[in-house]
Amino acid sequence: MDSKWLNFLLSQLRLVNYENEYETMRLLFDKPLSCKLVCKSAQDLLESLKRNENYEFLLKDKQTRVREAANLRKEAIGVDNMELSLGYANRALALQCFGYYQQAYDDCECALEIGYPKKLYPKIICRQAYCALQLNNAELLTKHLSSLESMHLNENFRRQEQELRANLWKLQNQTEKTNGNVELILKNRDSQEIVNTFSEIGRYMRAKRLIKQNELIFSERATALAPIGSAIQLCNHCAKTSFIPIPCQHCRGRVVYCSLACLKAHKNIHLHECSAYQMQLFAHVGIAHLALRIILDNGLLTILDLLRNKQTTKAIWTSLTEGGDVWSNPTAAYSESLRMVSHLKKMALEDVKVFAAVSHLIVVYLSRYTSFFDLLSSNHRFNCNWELIVAALILKHIGQSIVNGHVCTVIRPKIFENYSLTEYHLLNEDLWEKPWHLRRGYLHRFAYIDDVATLNLPYTSICNHSCLPLFQPKFSGRIISAYAMRDIKESEEITNCYTQHSRVERRQTRQEILKKSYHFICKCGECMRQEGDDDVNQFHQYRCDNEKCRHVFVPQTPLKWWQRKTSNDLQNINVLCAVCGSRQMFKWFYDYQKLLTSLNSPLTRLRLYQLYQNLDEYLLAFNSCKAFMASKAVQEIFKFLNDGSLNEEDYKNLTRMIKYSLEYETYTSGSSCISYICEMTYLWDIIALGKWKYEHKDMNSIFNESLIVLGDEMFLIFSNYYKDFLVKS
Ligand SMILES: C[S@@+](CC[C@H](N)C(=O)[O-])C[C@H]1O[C@@H](n2cnc3c(N)ncnc32)[C@H](O)[C@@H]1O
């Protein structure tokens, strides 16, 4: 964030005691002179962001720009609308040939929308009609056939039209699928209830009846989401990660959608964000982006009716805060978000001031670059300071998101080298046999975990914390589903785990995080146990590498020393034997690490397997470091899988390493979690290639239990792979 602007703003914000969001933001909005100055400085900052962006874009050489433009399809520079529409139409054909009919259909729509040449209409309408047929959509097929009727068609298109018409009758009797099931699942909350303690602990969730292991406890659709990092692999509306992108025309493809339906559904939100994306504002504001989305996405505009009789700014604010009529409204979805807890009061004043500055900046942005405030004012009879209200709400939602925001963590394929927008994994022909069916030996490309978005989930957020998780979350786009990890008794509290759980992180570290970010001292069963760290320590047993000692010990700190990023960091590791006090040399680790960079040679791989086998001398029981080393080697060696250069010895050793990692995952986190599934992809590939035989009954139970946490599209990819290559092999 620009330090000159921030310093100036902080100097103007004379916050001595934090009272609430409204009073804090009033300090920036109420005094005319200072208000003018701070607005001007925010405006200058936004203009400079915009200038920098344009300048950087112009700096790129022409070739890069043309390539980017071609990738984005809709970039304004270098490509006119006609070229763009032909680009869409061509991509539609490619997608149609590949079997992505909905995506192909959407691309035809885009082409038509931006000026596809009239004389070529029969071609694109026939294409749409064909896709409609494949999608079993009789209504659309009828529509396109009737527009073809009024066109002059050459012999080829006339024949196509007749074939399509002959197929129409087959469709007309088919019943339409509905989304009723999804709606039902989202509303089904009958196994749990919410209790309010009216104390520090606040509200919590408890079971109303016995909930069985692996049972779905509840589902919730995020009211808002904000992409993490580069958004180009995430549909900004539904949060899917496997799709063929339709980018926004105006913000250089920084916002993409999985379908035209999502683009349209997100239109009223993006309307207020497009300019911000153009100037890359959201790259600077962190969690405040989610706060803004909570307001834009089914937020403030949905409750204007409830505010219509409030005559003053203060009256509006009062109704939105604790005890107010809108705040307490049991039916308004936005009220659920307003009721989430926030700890701004307990935070350092300096932090609150920075959040207030960012809230102010976003309001200046909305006011100068969008019509958001016109919309609010025109829908309200009285003259109120909406800028102040929105700034206070952004600050409120920032405070809430810090404590309640959920990270959407999913499995997805590793981004390919020289990645560009056209290389979305669904379009990568190396991977696919046909849509959603991978080629044999390619499942391990999905062994990556990524945080793709932050989500606002007011219902899930009611769950308090405990250090041993009770449910496993499944993220399918922006829908979270919570599955019981064990039987939950009637009246038992249904808790979530906000940190790393007690089998992978020690009590003190967990407690520090919870205190710092969530402002409470955890007294859960795990934290209160006398021998609280035994569960995690059992996975960190070493034999001292000092020849004179050789005792077994558990290091004090750092526990996961191998996670250091650079080799320099690794050299500075200071792990001491708890018995003799000598610093561990970890020669066995460094020798192993060195080999990881040259595994293209079978001899190096053989040497690595020997070193791996010798690890038991230093790493005891189920050891976290050994699991890390196994997983790392498997990852590296699998880079040579698809070019056929691995031999029988490799497969034997790989299988041994993968099984170790899987067992380690089962002991620490269980088999229904995405880190287990990542390790499992390697084993499935080995099985698919016929290099390891397994018991069908074992595999079936793994299949049923583990994949429960995969989002819908990943589930489809994994289950297709299972049916295509594992059941048959
Ligand atoms: C996501 S909210 C949980 C729901 C919250 N109790 C409510 O009333 O909305 C997180 C906050 O709840 C409180 N909390 C959660 N777990 C707790 C626990 N185990 N002990 C005490 N307070 C807890 C803390 O104030 C924490 O910052």
Side-chain angles (χ1 to χ4, degrees), residues 55-76:
Y55 181 66
E56 278 196 15
F57 191 67
L58 285 174
L59 271 186
K60 291 178 181 166
D61 61 46
K62 183 154 184 275
Q63 225 180 352
T64 315
R65 271 190 278 143
V66 169
R67 206 180 56 234
E68 275 190 9
N71 286 339
L72 301 179
R73 296 275 187 251
K74 283 190 164 187
E75 179 51 58

PDB file of all heavy atoms in Angstrom, residues 55-76:
ATOM      1  N   TYR A  55       0.594   2.481 -17.943  1.00  0.00           N
ATOM      2  CA  TYR A  55       1.988   2.643 -18.351  1.00  0.00           C
ATOM      3  C   TYR A  55       2.645   1.274 -18.483  1.00  0.00           C
ATOM      4  O   TYR A  55       3.290   0.973 -19.479  1.00  0.00           O
ATOM      5  CB  TYR A  55       2.697   3.503 -17.309  1.00  0.00           C
ATOM      6  CG  TYR A  55       4.143   3.766 -17.623  1.00  0.00           C
ATOM      7  CD1 TYR A  55       4.498   4.532 -18.742  1.00  0.00           C
ATOM      8  CD2 TYR A  55       5.152   3.266 -16.802  1.00  0.00           C
ATOM      9  CE1 TYR A  55       5.830   4.770 -19.036  1.00  0.00           C
ATOM     10  CE2 TYR A  55       6.481   3.502 -17.087  1.00  0.00           C
ATOM     11  CZ  TYR A  55       6.820   4.252 -18.203  1.00  0.00           C
ATOM     12  OH  TYR A  55       8.128   4.480 -18.489  1.00  0.00           O
ATOM     13  N   GLU A  56       2.434   0.418 -17.491  1.00  0.00           N
ATOM     14  CA  GLU A  56       3.052  -0.916 -17.537  1.00  0.00           C
ATOM     15  C   GLU A  56       2.563  -1.713 -18.724  1.00  0.00           C
ATOM     16  O   GLU A  56       3.310  -2.431 -19.361  1.00  0.00           O
ATOM     17  CB  GLU A  56       2.744  -1.682 -16.247  1.00  0.00           C
ATOM     18  CG  GLU A  56       3.689  -1.269 -15.168  1.00  0.00           C
ATOM     19  CD  GLU A  56       3.708  -2.223 -14.006  1.00  0.00           C
ATOM     20  OE1 GLU A  56       3.196  -3.350 -14.147  1.00  0.00           O
ATOM     21  OE2 GLU A  56       4.226  -1.814 -12.964  1.00  0.00           O
ATOM     22  N   PHE A  57       1.309  -1.502 -19.031  1.00  0.00           N
ATOM     23  CA  PHE A  57       0.755  -2.241 -20.168  1.00  0.00           C
ATOM     24  C   PHE A  57       1.389  -1.747 -21.472  1.00  0.00           C
ATOM     25  O   PHE A  57       1.753  -2.532 -22.343  1.00  0.00           O
ATOM     26  CB  PHE A  57      -0.759  -2.061 -20.205  1.00  0.00           C
ATOM     27  CG  PHE A  57      -1.429  -2.993 -21.167  1.00  0.00           C
ATOM     28  CD1 PHE A  57      -1.430  -4.360 -20.936  1.00  0.00           C
ATOM     29  CD2 PHE A  57      -2.039  -2.522 -22.310  1.00  0.00           C
ATOM     30  CE1 PHE A  57      -2.026  -5.243 -21.826  1.00  0.00           C
ATOM     31  CE2 PHE A  57      -2.642  -3.393 -23.208  1.00  0.00           C
ATOM     32  CZ  PHE A  57      -2.634  -4.753 -22.964  1.00  0.00           C
ATOM     33  N   LEU A  58       1.582  -0.419 -21.547  1.00  0.00           N
ATOM     34  CA  LEU A  58       2.162   0.130 -22.769  1.00  0.00           C
ATOM     35  C   LEU A  58       3.629  -0.258 -22.921  1.00  0.00           C
ATOM     36  O   LEU A  58       4.159  -0.364 -24.022  1.00  0.00           O
ATOM     37  CB  LEU A  58       2.044   1.654 -22.762  1.00  0.00           C
ATOM     38  CG  LEU A  58       0.626   2.153 -23.043  1.00  0.00           C
ATOM     39  CD1 LEU A  58       0.538   3.660 -22.886  1.00  0.00           C
ATOM     40  CD2 LEU A  58       0.186   1.751 -24.449  1.00  0.00           C
ATOM     41  N   LEU A  59       4.300  -0.461 -21.772  1.00  0.00           N
ATOM     42  CA  LEU A  59       5.728  -0.804 -21.800  1.00  0.00           C
ATOM     43  C   LEU A  59       5.984  -2.162 -22.463  1.00  0.00           C
ATOM     44  O   LEU A  59       7.042  -2.404 -23.018  1.00  0.00           O
ATOM     45  CB  LEU A  59       6.272  -0.876 -20.380  1.00  0.00           C
ATOM     46  CG  LEU A  59       6.820   0.418 -19.796  1.00  0.00           C
ATOM     47  CD1 LEU A  59       7.444   0.122 -18.448  1.00  0.00           C
ATOM     48  CD2 LEU A  59       7.840   1.053 -20.714  1.00  0.00           C
ATOM     49  N   LYS A  60       5.000  -3.038 -22.379  1.00  0.00           N
ATOM     50  CA  LYS A  60       5.195  -4.366 -22.949  1.00  0.00           C
ATOM     51  C   LYS A  60       5.377  -4.239 -24.462  1.00  0.00           C
ATOM     52  O   LYS A  60       4.742  -3.397 -25.095  1.00  0.00           O
ATOM     53  CB  LYS A  60       3.967  -5.240 -22.669  1.00  0.00           C
ATOM     54  CG  LYS A  60       3.837  -5.576 -21.222  1.00  0.00           C
ATOM     55  CD  LYS A  60       2.598  -6.380 -20.999  1.00  0.00           C
ATOM     56  CE  LYS A  60       2.471  -6.679 -19.517  1.00  0.00           C
ATOM     57  NZ  LYS A  60       1.179  -7.168 -19.161  1.00  0.00           N
ATOM     58  N   ASP A  61       6.253  -5.079 -25.037  1.00  0.00           N
ATOM     59  CA  ASP A  61       6.456  -4.942 -26.477  1.00  0.00           C
ATOM     60  C   ASP A  61       5.191  -5.370 -27.218  1.00  0.00           C
ATOM     61  O   ASP A  61       4.289  -6.013 -26.671  1.00  0.00           O
ATOM     62  CB  ASP A  61       7.677  -5.733 -26.952  1.00  0.00           C
ATOM     63  CG  ASP A  61       7.503  -7.203 -26.662  1.00  0.00           C
ATOM     64  OD1 ASP A  61       6.428  -7.723 -26.949  1.00  0.00           O
ATOM     65  OD2 ASP A  61       8.447  -7.815 -26.129  1.00  0.00           O
ATOM     66  N   LYS A  62       5.152  -4.989 -28.467  1.00  0.00           N
ATOM     67  CA  LYS A  62       3.913  -5.168 -29.224  1.00  0.00           C
ATOM     68  C   LYS A  62       3.512  -6.644 -29.277  1.00  0.00           C
ATOM     69  O   LYS A  62       2.355  -6.998 -29.100  1.00  0.00           O
ATOM     70  CB  LYS A  62       4.108  -4.606 -30.628  1.00  0.00           C
ATOM     71  CG  LYS A  62       2.859  -4.666 -31.474  1.00  0.00           C
ATOM     72  CD  LYS A  62       2.864  -3.601 -32.545  1.00  0.00           C
ATOM     73  CE  LYS A  62       1.557  -3.623 -33.318  1.00  0.00           C
ATOM     74  NZ  LYS A  62       1.555  -4.578 -34.401  1.00  0.00           N
ATOM     75  N   GLN A  63       4.539  -7.479 -29.474  1.00  0.00           N
ATOM     76  CA  GLN A  63       4.241  -8.905 -29.596  1.00  0.00           C
ATOM     77  C   GLN A  63       3.538  -9.450 -28.344  1.00  0.00           C
ATOM     78  O   GLN A  63       2.552 -10.176 -28.427  1.00  0.00           O
ATOM     79  CB  GLN A  63       5.545  -9.647 -29.790  1.00  0.00           C
ATOM     80  CG  GLN A  63       5.441 -10.660 -30.884  1.00  0.00           C
ATOM     81  CD  GLN A  63       6.759 -11.378 -31.047  1.00  0.00           C
ATOM     82  OE1 GLN A  63       7.772 -11.018 -30.437  1.00  0.00           O
ATOM     83  NE2 GLN A  63       6.753 -12.387 -31.852  1.00  0.00           N
ATOM     84  N   THR A  64       4.090  -9.052 -27.174  1.00  0.00           N
ATOM     85  CA  THR A  64       3.485  -9.519 -25.916  1.00  0.00           C
ATOM     86  C   THR A  64       2.047  -9.052 -25.830  1.00  0.00           C
ATOM     87  O   THR A  64       1.160  -9.786 -25.428  1.00  0.00           O
ATOM     88  CB  THR A  64       4.272  -8.947 -24.702  1.00  0.00           C
ATOM     89  OG1 THR A  64       5.634  -9.099 -24.960  1.00  0.00           O
ATOM     90  CG2 THR A  64       3.856  -9.605 -23.420  1.00  0.00           C
ATOM     91  N   ARG A  65       1.857  -7.781 -26.224  1.00  0.00           N
ATOM     92  CA  ARG A  65       0.506  -7.244 -26.113  1.00  0.00           C
ATOM     93  C   ARG A  65      -0.465  -7.979 -27.028  1.00  0.00           C
ATOM     94  O   ARG A  65      -1.571  -8.304 -26.651  1.00  0.00           O
ATOM     95  CB  ARG A  65       0.504  -5.750 -26.443  1.00  0.00           C
ATOM     96  CG  ARG A  65       0.748  -4.908 -25.210  1.00  0.00           C
ATOM     97  CD  ARG A  65       0.505  -3.476 -25.499  1.00  0.00           C
ATOM     98  NE  ARG A  65       1.669  -2.890 -26.131  1.00  0.00           N
ATOM     99  CZ  ARG A  65       1.605  -1.971 -27.088  1.00  0.00           C
ATOM    100  NH1 ARG A  65       0.456  -1.573 -27.548  1.00  0.00           N
ATOM    101  NH2 ARG A  65       2.695  -1.464 -27.596  1.00  0.00           N
ATOM    102  N   VAL A  66       0.023  -8.254 -28.247  1.00  0.00           N
ATOM    103  CA  VAL A  66      -0.868  -8.937 -29.187  1.00  0.00           C
ATOM    104  C   VAL A  66      -1.180 -10.338 -28.668  1.00  0.00           C
ATOM    105  O   VAL A  66      -2.315 -10.799 -28.701  1.00  0.00           O
ATOM    106  CB  VAL A  66      -0.228  -8.996 -30.597  1.00  0.00           C
ATOM    107  CG1 VAL A  66      -1.025  -9.931 -31.507  1.00  0.00           C
ATOM    108  CG2 VAL A  66      -0.160  -7.607 -31.188  1.00  0.00           C
ATOM    109  N   ARG A  67      -0.139 -10.981 -28.075  1.00  0.00           N
ATOM    110  CA  ARG A  67      -0.371 -12.323 -27.545  1.00  0.00           C
ATOM    111  C   ARG A  67      -1.388 -12.286 -26.398  1.00  0.00           C
ATOM    112  O   ARG A  67      -2.323 -13.070 -26.357  1.00  0.00           O
ATOM    113  CB  ARG A  67       0.949 -12.932 -27.074  1.00  0.00           C
ATOM    114  CG  ARG A  67       0.901 -14.460 -27.112  1.00  0.00           C
ATOM    115  CD  ARG A  67       2.182 -15.094 -26.667  1.00  0.00           C
ATOM    116  NE  ARG A  67       2.603 -14.686 -25.353  1.00  0.00           N
ATOM    117  CZ  ARG A  67       3.802 -14.184 -25.086  1.00  0.00           C
ATOM    118  NH1 ARG A  67       4.684 -14.022 -26.044  1.00  0.00           N
ATOM    119  NH2 ARG A  67       4.137 -13.833 -23.862  1.00  0.00           N
ATOM    120  N   GLU A  68      -1.158 -11.317 -25.499  1.00  0.00           N
ATOM    121  CA  GLU A  68      -2.097 -11.195 -24.372  1.00  0.00           C
ATOM    122  C   GLU A  68      -3.506 -10.956 -24.893  1.00  0.00           C
ATOM    123  O   GLU A  68      -4.471 -11.545 -24.434  1.00  0.00           O
ATOM    124  CB  GLU A  68      -1.716 -10.035 -23.466  1.00  0.00           C
ATOM    125  CG  GLU A  68      -0.694 -10.425 -22.437  1.00  0.00           C
ATOM    126  CD  GLU A  68      -0.499  -9.341 -21.406  1.00  0.00           C
ATOM    127  OE1 GLU A  68      -1.268  -8.369 -21.382  1.00  0.00           O
ATOM    128  OE2 GLU A  68       0.449  -9.475 -20.623  1.00  0.00           O
ATOM    129  N   ALA A  69      -3.561 -10.079 -25.902  1.00  0.00           N
ATOM    130  CA  ALA A  69      -4.877  -9.738 -26.433  1.00  0.00           C
ATOM    131  C   ALA A  69      -5.542 -10.976 -27.020  1.00  0.00           C
ATOM    132  O   ALA A  69      -6.721 -11.219 -26.806  1.00  0.00           O
ATOM    133  CB  ALA A  69      -4.743  -8.660 -27.486  1.00  0.00           C
ATOM    134  N   ALA A  70      -4.730 -11.754 -27.728  1.00  0.00           N
ATOM    135  CA  ALA A  70      -5.308 -12.955 -28.322  1.00  0.00           C
ATOM    136  C   ALA A  70      -5.759 -13.913 -27.232  1.00  0.00           C
ATOM    137  O   ALA A  70      -6.816 -14.521 -27.317  1.00  0.00           O
ATOM    138  CB  ALA A  70      -4.282 -13.631 -29.218  1.00  0.00           C
ATOM    139  N   ASN A  71      -4.948 -13.994 -26.176  1.00  0.00           N
ATOM    140  CA  ASN A  71      -5.308 -14.883 -25.078  1.00  0.00           C
ATOM    141  C   ASN A  71      -6.592 -14.443 -24.410  1.00  0.00           C
ATOM    142  O   ASN A  71      -7.454 -15.237 -24.081  1.00  0.00           O
ATOM    143  CB  ASN A  71      -4.202 -14.917 -24.021  1.00  0.00           C
ATOM    144  CG  ASN A  71      -3.018 -15.703 -24.501  1.00  0.00           C
ATOM    145  OD1 ASN A  71      -3.157 -16.514 -25.414  1.00  0.00           O
ATOM    146  ND2 ASN A  71      -1.869 -15.458 -23.921  1.00  0.00           N
ATOM    147  N   LEU A  72      -6.658 -13.178 -24.189  1.00  0.00           N
ATOM    148  CA  LEU A  72      -7.833 -12.677 -23.474  1.00  0.00           C
ATOM    149  C   LEU A  72      -9.046 -12.593 -24.374  1.00  0.00           C
ATOM    150  O   LEU A  72     -10.159 -12.447 -23.917  1.00  0.00           O
ATOM    151  CB  LEU A  72      -7.559 -11.290 -22.893  1.00  0.00           C
ATOM    152  CG  LEU A  72      -6.396 -11.195 -21.930  1.00  0.00           C
ATOM    153  CD1 LEU A  72      -6.229  -9.774 -21.465  1.00  0.00           C
ATOM    154  CD2 LEU A  72      -6.625 -12.097 -20.742  1.00  0.00           C
ATOM    155  N   ARG A  73      -8.799 -12.680 -25.650  1.00  0.00           N
ATOM    156  CA  ARG A  73      -9.868 -12.628 -26.626  1.00  0.00           C
ATOM    157  C   ARG A  73     -10.581 -11.279 -26.700  1.00  0.00           C
ATOM    158  O   ARG A  73     -11.000 -10.846 -27.732  1.00  0.00           O
ATOM    159  CB  ARG A  73     -10.932 -13.704 -26.376  1.00  0.00           C
ATOM    160  CG  ARG A  73     -10.412 -15.098 -26.516  1.00  0.00           C
ATOM    161  CD  ARG A  73     -10.458 -15.490 -27.975  1.00  0.00           C
ATOM    162  NE  ARG A  73     -10.113 -16.881 -28.147  1.00  0.00           N
ATOM    163  CZ  ARG A  73      -8.961 -17.280 -28.690  1.00  0.00           C
ATOM    164  NH1 ARG A  73      -8.065 -16.404 -29.090  1.00  0.00           N
ATOM    165  NH2 ARG A  73      -8.716 -18.556 -28.842  1.00  0.00           N
ATOM    166  N   LYS A  74     -10.701 -10.611 -25.572  1.00  0.00           N
ATOM    167  CA  LYS A  74     -11.515  -9.411 -25.610  1.00  0.00           C
ATOM    168  C   LYS A  74     -10.696  -8.152 -25.339  1.00  0.00           C
ATOM    169  O   LYS A  74     -11.254  -7.106 -25.080  1.00  0.00           O
ATOM    170  CB  LYS A  74     -12.638  -9.519 -24.584  1.00  0.00           C
ATOM    171  CG  LYS A  74     -13.768 -10.407 -25.033  1.00  0.00           C
ATOM    172  CD  LYS A  74     -14.899 -10.265 -24.093  1.00  0.00           C
ATOM    173  CE  LYS A  74     -16.162 -10.833 -24.710  1.00  0.00           C
ATOM    174  NZ  LYS A  74     -17.316 -10.581 -23.892  1.00  0.00           N
ATOM    175  N   GLU A  75      -9.389  -8.257 -25.327  1.00  0.00           N
ATOM    176  CA  GLU A  75      -8.587  -7.081 -25.030  1.00  0.00           C
ATOM    177  C   GLU A  75      -8.766  -6.032 -26.129  1.00  0.00           C
ATOM    178  O   GLU A  75      -8.784  -6.351 -27.319  1.00  0.00           O
ATOM    179  CB  GLU A  75      -7.120  -7.506 -24.914  1.00  0.00           C
ATOM    180  CG  GLU A  75      -6.206  -6.371 -24.624  1.00  0.00           C
ATOM    181  CD  GLU A  75      -6.726  -5.599 -23.447  1.00  0.00           C
ATOM    182  OE1 GLU A  75      -6.899  -6.173 -22.359  1.00  0.00           O
ATOM    183  OE2 GLU A  75      -6.982  -4.414 -23.641  1.00  0.00           O
ATOM    184  N   ALA A  76      -8.879  -4.780 -25.697  1.00  0.00           N
ATOM    185  CA  ALA A  76      -9.207  -3.750 -26.668  1.00  0.00           C
ATOM    186  C   ALA A  76      -8.042  -3.434 -27.617  1.00  0.00           C
ATOM    187  O   ALA A  76      -8.235  -3.234 -28.800  1.00  0.00           O
ATOM    188  CB  ALA A  76      -9.623  -2.490 -25.945  1.00  0.00           C
TER     189      ALA A  76
END
